[in-house]
């Protein structure tokens, strides 16, 4: 029973990693690919631009020095350690959510310029 549970956990992790990559290669030649691949928050690497999602200006905000982002119609607080602190080279806000059976957590969040 324990080995079955461990096998299911490994399979779930492998599927997440496979899904998190760039299966059709659309980002392989992006001039920002290397920069995206190196992005990190206090929670670790953000992965790549294929993993992140652009966020419209109306779907994120800053209040009292903290961020929150609207995902699937619900506001989610961004943990301070998930904020990418280096300059945003794409201009728009981006979020790297992790969705699980326990809900949504934010791996990385990069604020945009709000222009």
């Amino acid at each position: 029973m324990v080995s079955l549970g461990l096998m299911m956990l490994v399979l779930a992790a492998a599927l997440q990693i496979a899904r998190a990559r760039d299966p059709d290669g659309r980002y392989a030649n992006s001039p920002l690919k290397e920069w995206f691949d190196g992005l990190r928050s206090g929670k670790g690497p953000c992965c790549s631009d294929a993993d992140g999602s652009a966020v419209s200006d109306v779907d994120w905000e800053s209040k009292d020095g903290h961020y929150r982002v609207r995902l699937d119609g619900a506001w989610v607080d961004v943990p301070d350690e998930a904020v990418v602190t280096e300059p945003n080279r794409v201009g728009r806000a981006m979020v790297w959510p992790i969705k699980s059976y326990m809900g949504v957590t934010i791996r990385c969040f990069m604020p945009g310029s709000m222009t």
Side-chain angles (χ1 to χ4, degrees):
M1 191 63 116
V2 172
S3 62
L4 179 62
L6 181 59
M7 188 170 58
M8 294 296 286
L9 182 63
V10 169
L11 180 61
L15 288 174
Q16 182 66 23
I17 289 168
R19 188 177 58 138
R21 298 294 166 230
D22 186 15
D24 61 4
R26 80 178 92 170
Y27 300 109
N29 295 319
S30 168
L32 293 177
K33 182 184 183 328
E34 193 172 310
W35 176 75
F36 271 111
D37 287 343
L39 281 178
R40 299 181 65 83
S41 71
K43 295 180 109 179
C46 300
C47 292
S48 71
D49 55 342
D51 300 318
S53 300
V55 180
S56 299
D57 287 345
V58 296
D59 290 327
W60 72 278
E61 64 185 17
S62 174
K63 185 176 180 185
D64 299 326
H66 301 282
Y67 295 102
R68 69 182 194 149
V69 62
R70 187 173 18 218
L71 298 171
D72 299 325
W75 287 99
V76 178
D77 291 325
V78 175
D80 292 339
E81 64 271 13
V83 178
V84 175
T85 58
E86 73 175 81
N88 184 336
R89 293 174 64 183
V90 294
R92 64 186 185 267
M94 295 194 70
V95 64
W96 286 258
I98 298 173
K99 298 177 182 179
S100 72
Y101 69 94
M102 295 182 64
V104 177
T105 60
I106 305 296
R107 172 79 173 180
C108 296
F109 174 75
M110 187 169 46
S113 60
M114 293 191 89
T115 58

